[in-house]
Amino acid sequence: MNRIAYVNGQYTAHHAAAVHVEDRGYQFSDGVYEVIPVVAGKQIDSVGHMERLARSLSELRIPAPMSERAMNLVINEVIRRNRVRNGYVYLQVTRGVAPRDHAFPTDPDSALVIYARPKSSAARKSNAETGVAVITVPDQRWARRDIKTVSLLPNCLAKQAAKEAGAYEAFMYDREGMITEGSSTNAWIVDQEGRLITRPASNDILNGVTRLALMALVEEAGLEIVERPFSVEELRSAREVFLTSSSGMATPVVKVDDRVIGNGRPGSVTCGIMERFESYVSGDETEIAAGRISA
Ligand SMILES: Cc1ncc(COP(=O)(O)O)c(C=O)c1O
């Protein structure tokens, strides 16, 4: 099948899709992105993702390339043309093309790229059954981690360190030894009382749409969530640990560095959350995270 990407107003063959050498995303990582899961042909939490995109653009003063409504039409068209039933949409907006100069161009013309890829759920399901290992590494990122920028080099270094250690993810910790988040996931622990603990949304972390969806699901289930930073030590001695992201939903963590969590199997609270997620994404409601990204 010929895959199609949307690049600045045109649907083009994926293999030929390209951006300009002076695109500011390429030269300065002056751009933002979103990854939206597609399950059974439907976008999951598209409103939450669009809200976060609008926030990222506004924080960086990048003009929106088109209205949200128009963008959603393009996204659905890209999903349709690529016949993606299960997978994800990748969407990137940069401050566009301009002669290289650190300061913003006076009349920026934002560049928009959207493509979609199928992705099997096999790896996610196997991780859900066995749980995954994480390592902990120092957080080397800038001070605005709440903005979903394409500037992901420290995240790549952290993920590579995890891969080389045979782990699935790297949880990063700040100068005070408190966990911020994973390289592409949010971090959660379950304490001895069964409460879910996660770092509050601030400039220190990316406010995950999955994190917000989970909060909505868990509120419905009556589980208690405490938003507070937790330390590397608390992480290692937690009753349960899990991580969230659009591609992995909720994934149990059974090992942190060299410490086994619980009995080395996914814990009961995490399993309950994963079940709720599965029924959410396979049900009719798809916008449970809407309205939860704060300005
Ligand atoms: C640094 C970081 N934290 C958290 C997340 C999880 O966000 P979401 O649930 O919206 O996928 C991501 C996703 O890419 C991320 O890059």
Side-chain angles (χ1 to χ4, degrees):
M1 193 191 88
N2 289 333
R3 296 184 52 229
I4 301 291
Y6 175 91
V7 184
N8 294 327
Q10 278 175 342
Y11 294 95
T12 7
H14 190 273
H15 66 86
V19 293
H20 197 278
V21 289
E22 287 187 315
D23 187 287
R24 289 180 61 93
Y26 181 58
Q27 294 195 324
F28 297 113
S29 65
D30 188 0
V32 301
Y33 75 106
E34 283 296 329
V35 177
I36 309 167
V38 177
V39 177
K42 289 181 303 190
Q43 295 180 59
I44 303 297
D45 286 312
S46 67
V47 174
H49 284 280
M50 285 298 131
E51 287 171 351
R52 188 173 60 188
L53 177 69
R55 183 181 184 281
S56 297
L57 289 170
S58 123
E59 291 299 303
L60 294 177
R61 294 194 281 146
I62 298 176
M66 58 174 67
S67 71
E68 257 173 48
R69 209 175 114 78
M71 208 180 291
N72 207 38
L73 288 176
V74 178
I75 292 171
N76 282 323
E77 183 61 11
V78 171
I79 294 172
R80 192 188 69 76
R81 288 196 190 208
N82 290 282
R83 295 195 209 130
V84 172
R85 293 284 301 155
N86 295 294
Y88 63 91
V89 172
Y90 179 86
L91 181 161
Q92 177 171 319
V93 181
T94 72
R95 208 182 304 270
V97 176
R100 190 174 183 284
D101 180 4
H102 288 59
F104 300 168
T106 43
D107 193 12
D109 193 6
S110 305
L112 172 62
V113 168
I114 302 178
Y115 64 80
R117 271 190 187 277
K119 188 172 172 195
S120 147
S121 55
R124 178 171 64 74
K125 290 191 172 146
S126 133
N127 288 339
E129 260 175 43
T130 58
V132 298
V134 306
I135 58 165
T136 53
V137 298
D139 197 331
Q140 306 192 84
R141 298 173 299 162
W142 73 326
R144 291 302 308 273
R145 304 156 189 159
D146 55 313
I147 305 172
K148 195 163 170 68
T149 79
V150 293
S151 188
L152 290 172
L153 191 50
N155 308 57
C156 294
L157 294 174
K159 189 74 101 190
Q160 181 62 21
K163 190 176 170 188
E164 287 172 11
Y168 174 80
E169 175 62 302
F171 280 178
M172 299 176 280
Y173 54 85
D174 64 19
R175 285 172 189 206
E176 282 72 50
M178 308 303 273
I179 297 293
T180 51
E181 60 187 326
S183 70
S184 62
T185 57
N186 288 113
W188 299 73
I189 58 173
V190 179
D191 71 6
Q192 298 307 328
E193 283 71 45
R195 289 179 296 228
L196 307 187
I197 300 174
T198 198
R199 191 161 176 133
S202 72
N203 292 356
D204 297 337
I205 63 162
L206 182 76
N207 197 356
V209 173
T210 321
R211 173 185 184 278
L212 295 171
L214 187 143
M215 284 178 170
L217 286 169
V218 159
E219 272 166 22
E220 282 173 3
L223 279 168
E224 192 183 341
I225 296 184
V226 183
E227 289 186 79
R228 65 159 176 87
F230 57 86
S231 66
V232 174
E233 213 21 70
E234 271 184 280
L235 167 71
R236 290 194 183 134
S237 52
R239 183 168 126 189
E240 295 181 30
V241 179
F242 64 94
L243 49 85
T244 53
S245 75
S246 293
S247 53
M249 297 193 231
T251 303
V253 173
V254 293
K255 197 170 168 221
V256 175
D257 297 322
D258 53 4
R259 188 87 68 90
V260 172
I261 304 298
N263 62 3
R265 306 278 308 154
S268 59
V269 175
T270 311
C271 288
I273 288 168
M274 289 192 296
E275 267 168 39
R276 282 189 173 268
F277 248 108
E278 286 297 340
S279 53
Y280 166 52
V281 299
S282 53
D284 295 333
E285 157 80 285
T286 52
E287 299 296 351
I288 201 166
R292 287 178 172 255
I293 289 275
S294 49

